[in-house]
Amino acid sequence: MLSWSVLCKPTTERIWNRVRRDRETGIPGRLMALTEEPTREELETWAIQIGFDPVRYIMAWVCLAEEEWAKANISGTQNQAEASRKDWAMTHFAPLRTPIRPSIESAGEHPRFSLLAPGGSGKLPNQELRPKSCRAALRELLGGSQAVAPLALSIMPFMVTFGLLTRAAGLSIWIALGMTMVIFAGSAQLLAVQMLLGGAPGALIVAASGTMNLRHTLWSASIAPHLRHLSLLWRLLLAYFLTDEVALLSIRHYEQSGCRKKRHWFMLGAGLVEWVAAQVSAALGSLLGTQIPANWHLDFTATLTFIALLVLALKDRTSILAACLAGAMVLLAGGLPLRLGFLGAVLFSLLVGMALDARAAHHQEEPICRSGS
Amino acid sequence: MPIWFLIGVLGVTTYGERILFLLGKRWVLPSRIEKALRLVPPIVLAAIVAPALFVGAPGVGFPLHVAIAGAVAAVVTLWRKQVLPTVMSGLVVLWLLDWIKL
């Protein structure tokens, strides 16, 4: 069993870092003047909004504030501002006046906590918060599954094609399902089965699918800033669901404004729905076998889905230019083995996009310089 | 190579490629690169779509019917801003073009 301190420490450290940052930059939605600390209610609302336990958050806030006051007193600059800060502490946090060491690991167990909560129970904030944050998580989960539904539906025929191909390659339904479960990357699976049908050696199949899937590393890098705050378990879980569609939807969802704390549930919901859709359609394709004629072009649905996502992803001039360049490059480099053309085209376009960004930033700076001189 | 071993290796490489940047918590990319990562979706998607639309099966030339269906699908996306209408229209156009033997 994990000990309490192991479970608790990362959370506590995260709160300390957050509070340190918030004390420097101020709480959004509230213009914090230097002479004035926020009220307890404001701190509480803010802590709930960013998903921290309000009691612990406020505790850390007060400790840091006290450290600052102590420093100011030592250097002998107790002016009006300092006096008003002390007033603030006296009125709102009288029970917490004496400094508490930041090294307390299980702040939640500290006896002084009971004094903070109205009514003195010490449990109130937690009990009130749980259902609320649960509901937020559920809302995100459902939102994610709803958002991915049309995409999953469009990908299903593609996965049916995969099932058909496994049948054609003489593989059983269990292998088709196992592949979908273990790999969970439609295009790589299709490529692998096609190569198996063509009698390619295993090492070559691994190399080709590997280079093809390197784009997932790019998705991973793109979504990493949004998932950095999550625990390792969450990140390990979400990495499994990081397909093209899920990554795209989640990045777009994270870029919207509002509280981001529970948005990883959105990603989980999207991933789960797509996972189920992939399993069902792979099994369907394997069972139906050769009963679906080839001229139905079911595999074309994946391309069509990507066309829709591409058009929706083109937002500014740089992205349109980069996308056109990537398309042209991949067509020119199509003859290279192991899908290396794909990788080269993507990386080259990314570099050109960076250069375009740098140029755009340079052009934006110029008028400011002129107006300044 | 036994098929299950192959599947396992493929699964491990795919998962490894997905987890790579999620593993390190303190692994922060330079801001210039992080800003350029917003270009990843359009670039990757364009690189997937272009060969599917403009390169035919081996031995067959330029697949005109596929390209036309793709173009129609793109226009429908611009119009409706949704995925399902795009997929349906593209598929129907492809069937029609097949039917009139273009």
Side-chain angles (χ1 to χ4, degrees), chain A residues 151 184-185 210 213 215-217 219-221 224 228 230 235-236 239-240 242 296-297 300 304 306 308 310 316 323 353-354 357, chain B residues 7 14-15 17-23 25 27 36-39 41-42 44-47 52 66 73 77 83 87 91 94-95 98:
Chain A
L151 292 176
F184 194 43
N213 271 345
R215 68 175 191 282
H216 288 138
T217 311
W219 292 132
S220 162
R228 206 165 278 147
L230 293 176
R235 283 176 285 144
L236 287 174
Y240 174 70
L242 200 69
W296 281 17
H297 300 293
F300 191 52
L304 288 169
F306 287 136
L310 170 64
D316 50 6
M354 269 174 76
D357 268 354
Chain B
I7 292 175
T14 306
Y15 188 75
E17 282 162 345
R18 281 174 176 165
I19 194 78
L20 193 61
F21 278 87
L22 296 178
L23 213 52
K25 213 163 195 176
W27 196 1
L37 284 179
R38 87 195 140 82
L39 298 174
V44 169
L45 292 170
V66 174
T77 318
V83 177
V87 174
L91 213 51
L94 189 63
W95 286 340
D98 250 16

Short mmCIF file of all heavy atoms in Angstrom, two decimals, chain A residues 151 184-185 210 213 215-217 219-221 224 228 230 235-236 239-240 242 296-297 300 304 306 308 310 316 323 353-354 357, chain B residues 7 14-15 17-23 25 27 36-39 41-42 44-47 52 66 73 77 83 87 91 94-95 98:
data_model
loop_
_atom_site.label_atom_id
_atom_site.label_comp_id
_atom_site.label_asym_id
_atom_site.label_seq_id
_atom_site.Cartn_x
_atom_site.Cartn_y
_atom_site.Cartn_z
N LEU A 151 -17.09 11.39 -35.85
CA LEU A 151 -15.79 10.93 -36.36
C LEU A 151 -15.69 9.41 -36.27
O LEU A 151 -15.26 8.75 -37.20
CB LEU A 151 -14.66 11.56 -35.55
CG LEU A 151 -14.48 13.06 -35.72
CD1 LEU A 151 -13.41 13.56 -34.80
CD2 LEU A 151 -14.12 13.36 -37.14
N PHE A 184 -4.35 -0.21 -31.78
CA PHE A 184 -5.32 0.90 -31.76
C PHE A 184 -4.85 2.08 -32.61
O PHE A 184 -4.78 3.21 -32.15
CB PHE A 184 -5.59 1.33 -30.32
CG PHE A 184 -6.81 2.22 -30.20
CD1 PHE A 184 -7.97 1.93 -30.87
CD2 PHE A 184 -6.77 3.36 -29.42
CE1 PHE A 184 -9.08 2.74 -30.78
CE2 PHE A 184 -7.88 4.19 -29.31
CZ PHE A 184 -9.03 3.86 -29.99
N ALA A 185 -4.45 1.80 -33.85
CA ALA A 185 -4.11 2.86 -34.80
C ALA A 185 -4.51 2.35 -36.18
O ALA A 185 -3.79 1.56 -36.78
CB ALA A 185 -2.62 3.18 -34.74
N GLY A 210 6.03 1.83 -37.96
CA GLY A 210 6.67 2.73 -37.00
C GLY A 210 6.86 4.12 -37.57
O GLY A 210 6.49 5.11 -36.93
N ASN A 213 3.56 5.85 -37.92
CA ASN A 213 2.96 6.27 -36.65
C ASN A 213 3.76 7.36 -35.96
O ASN A 213 3.34 7.82 -34.89
CB ASN A 213 2.83 5.08 -35.71
CG ASN A 213 1.51 4.38 -35.91
OD1 ASN A 213 0.62 4.94 -36.54
ND2 ASN A 213 1.40 3.18 -35.41
N ARG A 215 3.84 10.25 -36.53
CA ARG A 215 3.01 11.46 -36.39
C ARG A 215 2.36 11.49 -35.01
O ARG A 215 2.06 12.57 -34.49
CB ARG A 215 1.96 11.52 -37.48
CG ARG A 215 0.91 10.45 -37.38
CD ARG A 215 -0.16 10.65 -38.45
NE ARG A 215 -1.30 9.80 -38.20
CZ ARG A 215 -1.33 8.51 -38.48
NH1 ARG A 215 -0.30 7.94 -39.05
NH2 ARG A 215 -2.40 7.79 -38.22
N HIS A 216 2.18 10.30 -34.41
CA HIS A 216 1.61 10.28 -33.06
C HIS A 216 2.52 10.97 -32.06
O HIS A 216 2.07 11.52 -31.07
CB HIS A 216 1.36 8.84 -32.61
CG HIS A 216 0.21 8.22 -33.33
ND1 HIS A 216 0.23 6.94 -33.81
CD2 HIS A 216 -0.98 8.73 -33.68
CE1 HIS A 216 -0.92 6.69 -34.41
NE2 HIS A 216 -1.67 7.76 -34.35
N THR A 217 3.84 10.92 -32.33
CA THR A 217 4.77 11.63 -31.46
C THR A 217 4.52 13.14 -31.54
O THR A 217 4.60 13.85 -30.54
CB THR A 217 6.20 11.31 -31.88
OG1 THR A 217 6.32 9.90 -31.99
CG2 THR A 217 7.20 11.80 -30.87
N TRP A 219 1.57 14.46 -32.21
CA TRP A 219 0.36 14.71 -31.42
C TRP A 219 0.72 14.77 -29.95
O TRP A 219 0.23 15.60 -29.21
CB TRP A 219 -0.66 13.58 -31.62
CG TRP A 219 -1.29 13.48 -32.97
CD1 TRP A 219 -1.42 12.34 -33.70
CD2 TRP A 219 -1.90 14.52 -33.75
NE1 TRP A 219 -2.06 12.61 -34.88
CE2 TRP A 219 -2.37 13.93 -34.94
CE3 TRP A 219 -2.09 15.88 -33.56
CZ2 TRP A 219 -3.01 14.65 -35.93
CZ3 TRP A 219 -2.72 16.60 -34.55
CH2 TRP A 219 -3.17 16.00 -35.72
N SER A 220 1.58 13.83 -29.54
CA SER A 220 1.98 13.76 -28.14
C SER A 220 2.62 15.07 -27.70
O SER A 220 2.31 15.62 -26.64
CB SER A 220 2.93 12.58 -27.99
OG SER A 220 3.67 12.66 -26.83
N ALA A 221 3.50 15.61 -28.56
CA ALA A 221 4.14 16.88 -28.21
C ALA A 221 3.13 18.02 -28.19
O ALA A 221 3.22 18.93 -27.37
CB ALA A 221 5.25 17.19 -29.21
N ALA A 224 0.98 17.66 -24.98
CA ALA A 224 1.71 17.56 -23.71
C ALA A 224 1.54 18.79 -22.81
O ALA A 224 1.33 18.64 -21.62
CB ALA A 224 3.19 17.30 -23.99
N ARG A 228 0.24 18.27 -18.78
CA ARG A 228 1.41 18.21 -17.91
C ARG A 228 1.02 18.12 -16.44
O ARG A 228 1.74 17.54 -15.64
CB ARG A 228 2.27 19.46 -18.16
CG ARG A 228 3.71 19.26 -17.84
CD ARG A 228 4.54 20.36 -18.44
NE ARG A 228 4.84 20.13 -19.83
CZ ARG A 228 4.98 21.09 -20.73
NH1 ARG A 228 4.81 22.34 -20.38
NH2 ARG A 228 5.27 20.81 -21.97
N LEU A 230 -1.31 16.46 -15.06
CA LEU A 230 -1.97 15.22 -14.64
C LEU A 230 -0.97 14.24 -14.01
O LEU A 230 0.23 14.35 -14.21
CB LEU A 230 -2.61 14.55 -15.85
CG LEU A 230 -3.78 15.32 -16.47
CD1 LEU A 230 -4.26 14.61 -17.71
CD2 LEU A 230 -4.91 15.43 -15.47
N ARG A 235 -1.65 10.07 -17.51
CA ARG A 235 -0.94 10.30 -18.78
C ARG A 235 -0.69 8.98 -19.49
O ARG A 235 -0.79 8.89 -20.72
CB ARG A 235 0.37 11.04 -18.51
CG ARG A 235 0.12 12.53 -18.26
CD ARG A 235 1.38 13.26 -17.91
NE ARG A 235 1.80 12.96 -16.55
CZ ARG A 235 3.06 12.84 -16.17
NH1 ARG A 235 4.02 13.02 -17.06
NH2 ARG A 235 3.36 12.58 -14.93
N LEU A 236 -0.39 7.93 -18.70
CA LEU A 236 -0.19 6.61 -19.31
C LEU A 236 -1.48 6.13 -19.98
O LEU A 236 -1.45 5.54 -21.05
CB LEU A 236 0.24 5.60 -18.24
CG LEU A 236 1.67 5.75 -17.73
CD1 LEU A 236 1.91 4.79 -16.58
CD2 LEU A 236 2.65 5.46 -18.85
N ALA A 239 -2.35 8.30 -23.16
CA ALA A 239 -1.45 8.05 -24.29
C ALA A 239 -1.98 6.91 -25.15
O ALA A 239 -1.84 6.92 -26.36
CB ALA A 239 -0.06 7.73 -23.78
N TYR A 240 -2.63 5.93 -24.50
CA TYR A 240 -3.16 4.80 -25.25
C TYR A 240 -4.24 5.26 -26.24
O TYR A 240 -4.37 4.73 -27.33
CB TYR A 240 -3.72 3.77 -24.28
CG TYR A 240 -4.42 2.62 -24.95
CD1 TYR A 240 -3.71 1.67 -25.67
CD2 TYR A 240 -5.81 2.48 -24.88
CE1 TYR A 240 -4.34 0.63 -26.29
CE2 TYR A 240 -6.45 1.43 -25.49
CZ TYR A 240 -5.71 0.51 -26.20
OH TYR A 240 -6.36 -0.53 -26.82
N LEU A 242 -4.44 8.08 -27.78
CA LEU A 242 -4.02 9.24 -28.57
C LEU A 242 -4.04 8.93 -30.07
O LEU A 242 -3.00 8.84 -30.71
CB LEU A 242 -2.62 9.67 -28.14
CG LEU A 242 -2.19 11.09 -28.48
CD1 LEU A 242 -2.99 12.07 -27.67
CD2 LEU A 242 -0.72 11.28 -28.21
N TRP A 296 -17.55 -0.61 -53.11
CA TRP A 296 -18.24 0.29 -52.20
C TRP A 296 -17.30 1.36 -51.66
O TRP A 296 -17.73 2.32 -51.07
CB TRP A 296 -18.84 -0.50 -51.03
CG TRP A 296 -20.11 -1.20 -51.36
CD1 TRP A 296 -20.58 -1.46 -52.62
CD2 TRP A 296 -21.07 -1.72 -50.45
NE1 TRP A 296 -21.77 -2.12 -52.54
CE2 TRP A 296 -22.10 -2.30 -51.22
CE3 TRP A 296 -21.16 -1.77 -49.07
CZ2 TRP A 296 -23.20 -2.91 -50.64
CZ3 TRP A 296 -22.26 -2.37 -48.48
CH2 TRP A 296 -23.28 -2.94 -49.28
N HIS A 297 -16.01 1.15 -51.83
CA HIS A 297 -14.99 2.14 -51.41
C HIS A 297 -15.11 2.50 -49.93
O HIS A 297 -15.03 3.66 -49.58
CB HIS A 297 -15.10 3.42 -52.24
CG HIS A 297 -14.91 3.19 -53.69
ND1 HIS A 297 -13.72 2.79 -54.22
CD2 HIS A 297 -15.77 3.29 -54.72
CE1 HIS A 297 -13.85 2.65 -55.52
NE2 HIS A 297 -15.09 2.93 -55.85
N PHE A 300 -12.46 4.59 -48.26
CA PHE A 300 -12.36 6.01 -48.61
C PHE A 300 -12.93 6.90 -47.50
O PHE A 300 -12.61 8.08 -47.44
CB PHE A 300 -13.10 6.25 -49.93
CG PHE A 300 -12.86 7.60 -50.53
CD1 PHE A 300 -11.57 8.08 -50.73
CD2 PHE A 300 -13.92 8.42 -50.89
CE1 PHE A 300 -11.34 9.32 -51.27
CE2 PHE A 300 -13.70 9.68 -51.44
CZ PHE A 300 -12.42 10.12 -51.64
N LEU A 304 -11.99 10.77 -46.32
CA LEU A 304 -13.01 11.84 -46.26
C LEU A 304 -13.05 12.48 -44.88
O LEU A 304 -13.16 13.70 -44.74
CB LEU A 304 -14.37 11.27 -46.62
CG LEU A 304 -14.55 10.93 -48.10
CD1 LEU A 304 -15.83 10.14 -48.32
CD2 LEU A 304 -14.57 12.19 -48.94
N PHE A 306 -10.57 12.72 -42.83
CA PHE A 306 -9.39 13.56 -42.69
C PHE A 306 -9.52 14.84 -43.51
O PHE A 306 -9.01 15.88 -43.11
CB PHE A 306 -8.14 12.78 -43.08
CG PHE A 306 -7.75 11.75 -42.07
CD1 PHE A 306 -7.37 10.48 -42.44
CD2 PHE A 306 -7.78 12.05 -40.73
CE1 PHE A 306 -7.03 9.52 -41.49
CE2 PHE A 306 -7.44 11.12 -39.77
CZ PHE A 306 -7.07 9.85 -40.16
N ALA A 308 -12.32 16.48 -43.97
CA ALA A 308 -13.14 17.36 -43.14
C ALA A 308 -12.31 17.98 -42.02
O ALA A 308 -12.35 19.19 -41.79
CB ALA A 308 -14.31 16.58 -42.55
N LEU A 310 -9.11 18.39 -41.90
CA LEU A 310 -8.10 19.29 -42.48
C LEU A 310 -8.71 20.65 -42.75
O LEU A 310 -8.16 21.68 -42.36
CB LEU A 310 -7.54 18.67 -43.76
CG LEU A 310 -6.65 19.58 -44.60
CD1 LEU A 310 -5.40 19.93 -43.83
CD2 LEU A 310 -6.28 18.91 -45.91
N ASP A 316 -5.37 30.00 -40.17
CA ASP A 316 -4.73 31.24 -40.62
C ASP A 316 -3.89 30.96 -41.86
O ASP A 316 -3.83 29.84 -42.36
CB ASP A 316 -3.87 31.83 -39.49
CG ASP A 316 -2.95 30.78 -38.90
OD1 ASP A 316 -2.92 29.66 -39.46
OD2 ASP A 316 -2.27 31.05 -37.91
N ALA A 323 0.12 23.51 -44.86
CA ALA A 323 -0.61 22.32 -45.29
C ALA A 323 -0.38 22.06 -46.78
O ALA A 323 -0.14 20.92 -47.20
CB ALA A 323 -2.09 22.48 -45.00
N GLY A 353 7.00 26.29 -41.43
CA GLY A 353 5.99 26.98 -40.65
C GLY A 353 6.61 27.81 -39.53
O GLY A 353 6.21 28.94 -39.28
N MET A 354 7.64 27.23 -38.87
CA MET A 354 8.33 27.97 -37.81
C MET A 354 8.99 29.22 -38.36
O MET A 354 8.93 30.30 -37.76
CB MET A 354 9.40 27.08 -37.18
CG MET A 354 8.92 26.29 -35.99
SD MET A 354 10.17 25.16 -35.42
CE MET A 354 11.27 26.28 -34.60
N ASP A 357 6.40 31.78 -38.99
CA ASP A 357 6.01 32.37 -37.71
C ASP A 357 6.99 33.46 -37.29
O ASP A 357 6.60 34.54 -36.88
CB ASP A 357 5.99 31.29 -36.62
CG ASP A 357 4.61 30.66 -36.49
OD1 ASP A 357 3.70 31.16 -37.17
OD2 ASP A 357 4.47 29.70 -35.74
N ILE B 7 2.23 -8.46 -33.52
CA ILE B 7 1.23 -7.53 -32.98
C ILE B 7 1.77 -6.84 -31.73
O ILE B 7 1.63 -5.63 -31.56
CB ILE B 7 -0.09 -8.27 -32.67
CG1 ILE B 7 -0.76 -8.73 -33.97
CG2 ILE B 7 -1.04 -7.38 -31.88
CD1 ILE B 7 -1.99 -9.57 -33.75
N THR B 14 3.93 1.62 -31.22
CA THR B 14 2.90 2.65 -31.33
C THR B 14 2.71 3.37 -30.01
O THR B 14 2.66 4.60 -29.95
CB THR B 14 1.57 2.03 -31.79
OG1 THR B 14 1.80 1.29 -32.98
CG2 THR B 14 0.53 3.09 -32.05
N TYR B 15 2.61 2.58 -28.93
CA TYR B 15 2.40 3.20 -27.62
C TYR B 15 3.60 4.05 -27.22
O TYR B 15 3.45 5.15 -26.68
CB TYR B 15 2.15 2.11 -26.57
CG TYR B 15 1.74 2.68 -25.23
CD1 TYR B 15 0.47 3.18 -25.04
CD2 TYR B 15 2.65 2.74 -24.18
CE1 TYR B 15 0.10 3.72 -23.83
CE2 TYR B 15 2.28 3.27 -22.96
CZ TYR B 15 1.01 3.75 -22.80
OH TYR B 15 0.65 4.30 -21.60
N GLU B 17 5.59 5.65 -29.17
CA GLU B 17 5.56 6.91 -29.92
C GLU B 17 4.52 7.87 -29.36
O GLU B 17 4.66 9.08 -29.45
CB GLU B 17 5.28 6.62 -31.40
CG GLU B 17 6.50 6.11 -32.13
CD GLU B 17 6.15 5.43 -33.44
OE1 GLU B 17 4.97 5.10 -33.65
OE2 GLU B 17 7.06 5.22 -34.23
N ARG B 18 3.46 7.29 -28.79
CA ARG B 18 2.40 8.16 -28.26
C ARG B 18 2.78 8.74 -26.90
O ARG B 18 2.41 9.86 -26.58
CB ARG B 18 1.11 7.36 -28.12
CG ARG B 18 0.41 7.20 -29.43
CD ARG B 18 -0.78 6.29 -29.30
NE ARG B 18 -1.49 6.23 -30.55
CZ ARG B 18 -2.39 5.30 -30.84
NH1 ARG B 18 -2.69 4.38 -29.95
NH2 ARG B 18 -3.00 5.31 -31.99
N ILE B 19 3.47 7.96 -26.08
CA ILE B 19 3.73 8.39 -24.70
C ILE B 19 4.93 9.33 -24.64
O ILE B 19 5.11 10.05 -23.67
CB ILE B 19 3.96 7.16 -23.79
CG1 ILE B 19 3.90 7.53 -22.31
CG2 ILE B 19 5.29 6.48 -24.07
CD1 ILE B 19 2.53 7.70 -21.79
N LEU B 20 5.75 9.34 -25.69
CA LEU B 20 7.08 9.96 -25.63
C LEU B 20 7.09 11.33 -24.94
O LEU B 20 7.82 11.53 -23.98
CB LEU B 20 7.64 10.09 -27.05
CG LEU B 20 9.11 10.44 -27.14
CD1 LEU B 20 9.94 9.36 -26.47
CD2 LEU B 20 9.52 10.58 -28.58
N PHE B 21 6.26 12.25 -25.39
CA PHE B 21 6.31 13.60 -24.83
C PHE B 21 5.44 13.75 -23.59
O PHE B 21 5.47 14.78 -22.93
CB PHE B 21 5.90 14.62 -25.88
CG PHE B 21 7.01 14.97 -26.81
CD1 PHE B 21 7.24 14.21 -27.94
CD2 PHE B 21 7.86 16.02 -26.54
CE1 PHE B 21 8.27 14.51 -28.79
CE2 PHE B 21 8.90 16.32 -27.38
CZ PHE B 21 9.11 15.56 -28.51
N LEU B 22 4.62 12.73 -23.31
CA LEU B 22 3.76 12.82 -22.13
C LEU B 22 4.46 12.29 -20.90
O LEU B 22 4.00 12.49 -19.79
CB LEU B 22 2.48 12.02 -22.36
CG LEU B 22 1.58 12.52 -23.47
CD1 LEU B 22 0.37 11.62 -23.63
CD2 LEU B 22 1.12 13.93 -23.17
N LEU B 23 5.58 11.59 -21.11
CA LEU B 23 6.22 10.90 -19.99
C LEU B 23 6.90 11.88 -19.04
O LEU B 23 6.69 11.84 -17.84
CB LEU B 23 7.21 9.89 -20.53
CG LEU B 23 7.39 8.62 -19.72
CD1 LEU B 23 6.05 7.96 -19.44
CD2 LEU B 23 8.28 7.65 -20.45
N LYS B 25 7.48 15.08 -17.05
CA LYS B 25 6.64 16.18 -16.60
C LYS B 25 7.34 17.53 -16.78
O LYS B 25 6.71 18.52 -17.07
CB LYS B 25 6.29 15.98 -15.13
CG LYS B 25 4.93 16.50 -14.79
CD LYS B 25 4.43 15.94 -13.50
CE LYS B 25 2.93 16.20 -13.40
NZ LYS B 25 2.34 15.63 -12.24
N TRP B 27 9.61 18.14 -18.98
CA TRP B 27 10.19 18.27 -20.31
C TRP B 27 9.42 19.33 -21.07
O TRP B 27 8.35 19.07 -21.61
CB TRP B 27 10.10 16.93 -21.01
CG TRP B 27 10.98 16.85 -22.20
CD1 TRP B 27 11.81 17.81 -22.64
CD2 TRP B 27 11.13 15.74 -23.08
NE1 TRP B 27 12.48 17.37 -23.75
CE2 TRP B 27 12.08 16.11 -24.03
CE3 TRP B 27 10.54 14.48 -23.16
CZ2 TRP B 27 12.45 15.26 -25.07
CZ3 TRP B 27 10.92 13.64 -24.17
CH2 TRP B 27 11.87 14.02 -25.11
N ALA B 36 4.87 26.52 -32.89
CA ALA B 36 4.76 25.91 -34.22
C ALA B 36 3.95 24.62 -34.18
O ALA B 36 3.46 24.17 -35.21
CB ALA B 36 6.15 25.63 -34.78
N LEU B 37 3.77 24.05 -32.99
CA LEU B 37 3.03 22.79 -32.91
C LEU B 37 1.56 22.95 -33.28
O LEU B 37 0.91 21.98 -33.62
CB LEU B 37 3.14 22.20 -31.50
CG LEU B 37 4.48 21.56 -31.17
CD1 LEU B 37 4.48 21.05 -29.75
CD2 LEU B 37 4.77 20.42 -32.12
N ARG B 38 1.05 24.18 -33.25
CA ARG B 38 -0.34 24.36 -33.68
C ARG B 38 -0.48 24.04 -35.15
O ARG B 38 -1.58 23.82 -35.65
CB ARG B 38 -0.78 25.80 -33.38
CG ARG B 38 -0.46 26.77 -34.47
CD ARG B 38 -0.56 28.22 -34.07
NE ARG B 38 0.52 28.96 -34.67
CZ ARG B 38 0.49 29.40 -35.92
NH1 ARG B 38 -0.55 29.20 -36.67
NH2 ARG B 38 1.52 30.04 -36.43
N LEU B 39 0.65 24.01 -35.89
CA LEU B 39 0.62 23.68 -37.31
C LEU B 39 0.61 22.17 -37.55
O LEU B 39 0.44 21.73 -38.68
CB LEU B 39 1.83 24.30 -38.02
CG LEU B 39 1.90 25.81 -37.98
CD1 LEU B 39 3.20 26.29 -38.58
CD2 LEU B 39 0.74 26.42 -38.73
N PRO B 41 -1.63 19.74 -36.72
CA PRO B 41 -2.84 19.16 -37.32
C PRO B 41 -2.95 19.39 -38.83
O PRO B 41 -3.09 18.41 -39.57
CB PRO B 41 -3.97 19.83 -36.55
CG PRO B 41 -3.38 20.18 -35.25
CD PRO B 41 -1.94 20.50 -35.51
N PRO B 42 -2.92 20.64 -39.32
CA PRO B 42 -3.06 20.80 -40.77
C PRO B 42 -1.98 20.08 -41.57
O PRO B 42 -2.29 19.46 -42.59
CB PRO B 42 -2.99 22.32 -40.99
CG PRO B 42 -2.57 22.91 -39.72
CD PRO B 42 -2.87 21.95 -38.64
N VAL B 44 -0.05 17.36 -40.79
CA VAL B 44 -0.17 15.89 -40.79
C VAL B 44 -1.37 15.46 -41.63
O VAL B 44 -1.28 14.53 -42.44
CB VAL B 44 -0.32 15.38 -39.34
CG1 VAL B 44 -0.71 13.92 -39.33
CG2 VAL B 44 0.98 15.56 -38.59
N LEU B 45 -2.49 16.17 -41.46
CA LEU B 45 -3.69 15.78 -42.21
C LEU B 45 -3.48 15.96 -43.71
O LEU B 45 -3.87 15.10 -44.50
CB LEU B 45 -4.89 16.60 -41.72
CG LEU B 45 -5.32 16.27 -40.30
CD1 LEU B 45 -6.34 17.27 -39.80
CD2 LEU B 45 -5.90 14.87 -40.24
N ALA B 46 -2.84 17.07 -44.09
CA ALA B 46 -2.59 17.28 -45.52
C ALA B 46 -1.69 16.19 -46.07
O ALA B 46 -1.90 15.70 -47.18
CB ALA B 46 -1.96 18.66 -45.73
N ALA B 47 -0.69 15.79 -45.28
CA ALA B 47 0.23 14.75 -45.74
C ALA B 47 -0.46 13.39 -45.84
O ALA B 47 -0.04 12.54 -46.62
CB ALA B 47 1.43 14.67 -44.81
N ALA B 52 -3.67 10.02 -50.76
CA ALA B 52 -4.90 9.24 -50.90
C ALA B 52 -5.76 9.77 -52.04
O ALA B 52 -6.49 9.01 -52.66
CB ALA B 52 -5.67 9.25 -49.59
N VAL B 66 -11.65 9.85 -57.62
CA VAL B 66 -11.36 10.03 -56.19
C VAL B 66 -11.05 11.49 -55.89
O VAL B 66 -11.54 12.07 -54.90
CB VAL B 66 -10.17 9.13 -55.78
CG1 VAL B 66 -9.77 9.40 -54.35
CG2 VAL B 66 -10.55 7.67 -55.95
N ALA B 73 -16.09 16.93 -51.24
CA ALA B 73 -16.14 16.79 -49.78
C ALA B 73 -15.57 18.02 -49.09
O ALA B 73 -16.12 18.51 -48.10
CB ALA B 73 -15.38 15.54 -49.36
N THR B 77 -17.47 20.57 -46.54
CA THR B 77 -16.99 20.90 -45.19
C THR B 77 -17.01 22.41 -44.97
O THR B 77 -17.42 22.89 -43.92
CB THR B 77 -15.56 20.40 -44.97
OG1 THR B 77 -15.43 19.12 -45.51
CG2 THR B 77 -15.22 20.37 -43.50
N VAL B 83 -18.48 16.88 -39.94
CA VAL B 83 -17.78 15.73 -40.51
C VAL B 83 -18.72 14.81 -41.29
O VAL B 83 -18.43 14.41 -42.41
CB VAL B 83 -17.06 14.93 -39.40
CG1 VAL B 83 -16.40 13.71 -39.98
CG2 VAL B 83 -16.02 15.81 -38.73
N VAL B 87 -18.44 13.22 -45.18
CA VAL B 87 -18.20 11.81 -45.50
C VAL B 87 -19.30 11.28 -46.41
O VAL B 87 -19.04 10.63 -47.43
CB VAL B 87 -18.11 10.99 -44.21
CG1 VAL B 87 -18.00 9.51 -44.52
CG2 VAL B 87 -16.91 11.43 -43.40
N LEU B 91 -18.69 10.11 -50.34
CA LEU B 91 -18.94 8.71 -50.70
C LEU B 91 -19.97 8.62 -51.83
O LEU B 91 -19.79 7.86 -52.81
CB LEU B 91 -19.43 7.96 -49.46
CG LEU B 91 -19.03 6.49 -49.34
CD1 LEU B 91 -17.53 6.34 -49.52
CD2 LEU B 91 -19.45 5.95 -47.99
N LEU B 94 -18.48 9.66 -55.11
CA LEU B 94 -17.60 8.60 -55.62
C LEU B 94 -18.41 7.47 -56.25
O LEU B 94 -18.08 6.96 -57.33
CB LEU B 94 -16.73 8.07 -54.48
CG LEU B 94 -15.60 7.13 -54.91
CD1 LEU B 94 -14.62 7.85 -55.81
CD2 LEU B 94 -14.88 6.55 -53.72
N TRP B 95 -19.50 7.09 -55.59
CA TRP B 95 -20.36 6.03 -56.14
C TRP B 95 -20.95 6.47 -57.49
O TRP B 95 -20.98 5.69 -58.44
CB TRP B 95 -21.50 5.70 -55.16
CG TRP B 95 -21.05 4.93 -53.97
CD1 TRP B 95 -19.90 4.20 -53.87
CD2 TRP B 95 -21.69 4.83 -52.71
NE1 TRP B 95 -19.80 3.65 -52.63
CE2 TRP B 95 -20.89 4.01 -51.88
CE3 TRP B 95 -22.87 5.34 -52.17
CZ2 TRP B 95 -21.23 3.69 -50.57
CZ3 TRP B 95 -23.22 5.02 -50.87
CH2 TRP B 95 -22.40 4.21 -50.07
N ASP B 98 -18.37 6.40 -60.16
CA ASP B 98 -18.10 4.99 -60.50
C ASP B 98 -19.18 4.46 -61.42
O ASP B 98 -18.93 3.74 -62.36
CB ASP B 98 -18.07 4.17 -59.21
CG ASP B 98 -16.66 3.71 -58.89
OD1 ASP B 98 -15.73 4.29 -59.49
OD2 ASP B 98 -16.50 2.81 -58.05
#
